[in-house]
Coordinates of all heavy atoms in Angstrom, one line a residue:
L27 N -42.3 9.3 21.5 CA -43.4 10.3 21.9 C -42.8 11.1 23.0 O -42.9 12.3 23.0 CB -44.6 9.5 22.5 CG -45.7 10.4 22.9 CD1 -46.4 11.0 21.6 CD2 -46.8 9.5 23.7
Q67 N -8.3 9.0 25.5 CA -8.1 8.2 26.7 C -7.3 9.1 27.6 O -6.1 9.1 27.4 CB -7.4 6.9 26.3 CG -7.2 6.0 27.4 CD -8.2 4.9 27.5 OE1 -9.4 5.1 27.1 NE2 -7.9 3.7 27.8
N87 N -22.0 1.7 3.6 CA -22.7 1.2 2.5 C -23.9 2.1 2.2 O -24.0 3.2 2.7 CB -23.1 -0.3 2.7 CG -23.7 -0.3 4.1 OD1 -24.5 0.6 4.6 ND2 -23.6 -1.5 4.8
K107 N -15.2 8.5 6.0 CA -15.4 8.2 7.4 C -16.9 8.3 7.7 O -17.7 8.9 7.0 CB -14.6 9.2 8.3 CG -13.2 9.0 8.3 CD -12.4 9.9 9.2 CE -11.0 9.7 9.1 NZ -10.2 10.8 9.7
E151 N -15.3 19.1 19.3 CA -16.3 18.3 19.8 C -15.6 17.0 20.4 O -14.6 16.6 20.0 CB -17.3 17.8 18.8 CG -17.4 18.7 17.6 CD -18.4 18.1 16.5 OE1 -19.6 18.3 16.7 OE2 -17.9 17.3 15.6
H163 N -23.9 -11.8 23.0 CA -22.8 -11.8 22.1 C -21.5 -11.1 22.7 O -20.6 -10.9 21.9 CB -23.2 -11.3 20.8 CG -24.3 -12.0 20.1 ND1 -24.2 -13.3 19.9 CD2 -25.4 -11.6 19.5 CE1 -25.3 -13.7 19.3 NE2 -26.1 -12.7 19.0
H207 N 3.5 6.5 -9.6 CA 3.7 5.8 -10.8 C 2.7 4.8 -11.0 O 2.3 4.0 -10.0 CB 5.1 5.1 -10.6 CG 5.7 4.6 -11.9 ND1 5.1 3.7 -12.7 CD2 6.9 5.0 -12.5 CE1 5.9 3.6 -13.8 NE2 6.9 4.3 -13.7

Side-chain angles (χ1 to χ4, degrees):
L27 186 67
Q67 182 95 329
N87 47 34
K107 287 180 181 167
E151 337 175 89
H163 297 312
H207 200 299

